[in-house]
Amino acid sequence: MGNSLQTLHLIHSLDPATGGVLSAVELLNQALLDNGIDSIISDDPKVRNRDKNEWTIAHGLWQWPGRRARELGNRYLVYPHGMLDPWFKKTYPLKHLKKQLYWWAKQGSILRNAHAVCFTTEEECLLAQKTFFPYQACEVVTGLGVMEPPVQTDEQAEMFHQKYPQLKGKKGLLYLGRFHPKKGVDDLIRAWKNRRKKAEEILVLAGPLEEGIDWIKFLKNLANDDPSIVWTGMLEGDLKWSALRWADSLILPSHQENYGMVVAEACSVGLPVYLTNKVNLWREVMDAGAGAVESDTPEGIQNLVNLWTVSNRTPLSTAAQKCFAERLHIAHTVERLLGVMQEPAG
């Protein structure tokens, strides 16, 4: 196929506030470009083909990208990006009923007629089979992943400690993400307060403090000005990577997480990860021995917090870096995706 291959990524919105799908699409698009593939992203519902040999990749369900991909007439792929997770069926039953009707009308046939439906993890693929009926799709697990982390510099570390001097010399358990109820941060705070802590141990909660104000107020009341809990606000760029390199482990106590890009980023810098089994990367982490996995119950999250010790960081760190290199590097995703496109139709 060579460099003549073209890919068109369709996404409902390019607004970063819409969530992690955009970040995933941008990463995948850039990785394809880096491999010499002519790849573009469009949020235009009226977008047209550039070439009859172009592949269309529809990202997400329920919106126009899947419909448009089918209308364009070229072979197309669909990435559900976790939107077939049964957690939504259980949590929002009325919305699920509406989606089931749309599934019968259009969405089911869009997946059925796709060249392939691409999943980012084995867990996502397994969960997708249990949500809507009838379900028929040519399934493939392409993975997702991230690129190599930026090179660490002394200036980055110094900038981080100047902004957060209270973290210097501390041992940190880091949560990095949004403060949505599905993220389990309330259970994390309770578990942390129940932990028998050493004086140098800190829980860092890093995420945007402007979204979901009522929920954040609830979480801060729950924390009750505990001096061992530090709120940094949202961390991006050098500050984010400095935090990942400063921390002793990452924790993600989510009740639903399709991939968990931050898990791949943590592993890329050798940061051990402590996850619930509702983060769909849990199998990859467990198989690699890159951290610990428990249920997303309050008891399970308490176990994660209690399991966290600084003393066993070195072997976990080595395993995390190996997990990234062998499983979570986006180069593997590009290789699998190109392999799917080379398969004959039908």
Side-chain angles (χ1 to χ4, degrees), residues 241 288 330:
W241 289 106
I330 200 164

Side-chain angles (χ1 to χ4, degrees), residues 115-311:
H115 181 77
V117 177
C118 303
F119 296 98
T120 58
T121 62
E122 187 69 34
E123 186 74 2
E124 182 194 7
C125 184
L126 293 172
L127 291 172
Q129 301 163 4
K130 307 173 184 177
T131 308
F132 295 95
F133 67 93
Y135 173 83
Q136 183 181 347
C138 177
E139 301 166 331
V140 60
V141 179
T142 63
L144 188 55
V146 296
M147 297 180 182
E148 292 285 340
V151 176
Q152 184 179 17
T153 66
D154 293 338
E155 289 78 13
Q156 288 173 352
E158 183 62 28
M159 178 181 66
F160 180 74
H161 286 304
Q162 282 181 357
K163 190 168 179 64
Y164 306 107
Q166 69 271 43
L167 300 182
K168 197 161 189 176
K170 299 292 186 178
K171 303 295 183 183
L173 183 60
L174 173 67
Y175 168 83
L176 183 60
R178 294 185 301 135
F179 295 113
H180 186 282
K182 78 169 188 172
K183 296 288 190 174
V185 178
D186 52 337
D187 289 326
L188 172 58
I189 291 172
R190 293 187 187 98
W192 181 259
K193 294 187 75 170
N194 289 334
R195 176 184 166 89
R196 296 181 63 182
K197 296 179 285 294
K198 297 178 181 177
E200 70 272 16
E201 294 180 345
I202 292 285
L203 172 64
V204 174
L205 300 177
L209 298 174
E210 301 78 27
E211 303 173 17
I213 298 298
D214 290 342
W215 182 249
I216 290 170
K217 283 182 179 178
F218 168 76
L219 293 177
K220 288 201 167 186
N221 285 336
L222 199 60
N224 194 26
D225 295 324
D226 188 325
S228 69
I229 299 176
V230 174
W231 304 76
T232 64
M234 188 172 182
L235 298 180
E236 297 179 292
D238 287 346
L239 283 176
K240 178 187 74 173
W241 289 106
S242 294
L244 288 168
R245 287 185 162 111
W246 162 83
D248 288 278
S249 295
L250 177 86
I251 189 163
L252 198 54
S254 301
H255 302 300
Q256 191 277 330
E257 194 83 41
N258 179 55
Y259 187 79
M261 202 73 76
V262 69
V263 176
E265 291 174 336
C267 287
S268 77
V269 296
L271 186 64
V273 288
Y274 288 70
L275 314 173
T276 66
N277 59 5
K278 296 302 187 294
V279 179
N280 285 353
L281 271 176
W282 73 268
R283 294 178 190 272
E284 287 80 353
V285 168
M286 198 70 173
D287 290 348
V293 177
E294 291 281 345
S295 72
D296 69 322
T297 62
E299 295 78 16
I301 294 169
Q302 185 71 62
N303 287 341
L304 285 179
V305 169
N306 292 344
L307 279 169
W308 174 63
T309 59
V310 176
S311 60

